[in-house]
Amino acid sequence: LRESFFQKSASLRQCWSALHQNGVAMEDSGGQRFISVQVSPVAPVNLSLEVRAANRIPDIPGIMVAWMYALQLEWPMIFSMIDQREDDAAAEWNLLKVGGFVYLQPSEDGRPQVVCANSIAFHPNGCMQFSAAQP
């Protein structure tokens, strides 16, 4: 994840600062700072256009998906270094703490480029739903 991911909200900026202070962030040869994440093997997206649209998956030729695993960090330490007031970054925090689906497209240099990501959120009822609620 690039540093720009952490610029959406105050809490994420504070998280980036804590990650940087604790040596988690790295810098590539172009001077871009990032943190490494673990992802599953990449697979093609073979969903209908309707299902893609309902799940906010772009209709891009050759789009692929991988699961991004939750970051394995000392979360209590990170949280002790940031202000945990609510902001509009719940989906991003879920991606970091729980994981989610990352959608990629092939690029000209052969390296997949991230198009978007869908995080996982827990429902207060505790059940997972993959379709509309059933009566």
Side-chain angles (χ1 to χ4, degrees), residues 9-27:
S9 73
S11 66
L12 288 170
R13 286 189 294 276
Q14 291 172 358
C15 178
W16 175 261
S17 179
L19 295 172
H20 190 262
Q21 288 173 18
N22 287 283
V24 177
M26 297 174 266
E27 193 169 307

Side-chain angles (χ1 to χ4, degrees), residues 6 15 22 38 40 45 48 52 63 84-85 87 89 91-92 94 102 107-108 111 114-115 123 135:
F6 295 89
C15 178
N22 287 283
Q38 289 185 310
S40 70
V45 174
S48 69
R52 286 186 191 197
I63 193 164
Q84 295 184 50
R85 281 184 268 170
D87 56 25
E92 288 81 1
N94 283 338
V102 177
S107 66
E108 292 178 13
R111 294 177 47 187
V114 174
V115 176
H123 191 276

Side-chain angles (χ1 to χ4, degrees), residues 1 5-6 35-41 65-72 75 91-104 114 116-120:
L1 289 175
F5 173 86
F6 295 89
I35 60 169
S36 290
V37 297
Q38 289 185 310
V39 296
S40 70
V65 64
W67 174 259
M68 185 183 112
Y69 295 97
L71 299 183
Q72 300 301 305
W75 286 111
E92 288 81 1
W93 278 106
N94 283 338
L95 186 65
L96 297 175
K97 296 188 306 183
V98 181
F101 296 101
V102 177
Y103 297 93
L104 310 129
V114 174
C116 68
N118 290 341
S119 62
I120 300 298

Side-chain angles (χ1 to χ4, degrees), residues 25-83:
M26 297 174 266
E27 193 169 307
D28 66 15
S29 59
Q32 296 276 337
R33 295 190 298 181
F34 66 96
I35 60 169
S36 290
V37 297
Q38 289 185 310
V39 296
S40 70
V42 175
V45 174
N46 295 317
L47 300 170
S48 69
L49 293 176
E50 294 80 20
V51 172
R52 286 186 191 197
N55 289 284
R56 298 181 181 175
I57 302 169
D59 181 24
I60 297 172
I63 193 164
M64 302 168 287
V65 64
W67 174 259
M68 185 183 112
Y69 295 97
L71 299 183
Q72 300 301 305
L73 298 173
E74 295 294 330
W75 286 111
M77 180 195 65
I78 298 295
F79 289 142
S80 73
M81 300 175 74
I82 66 173
D83 180 2

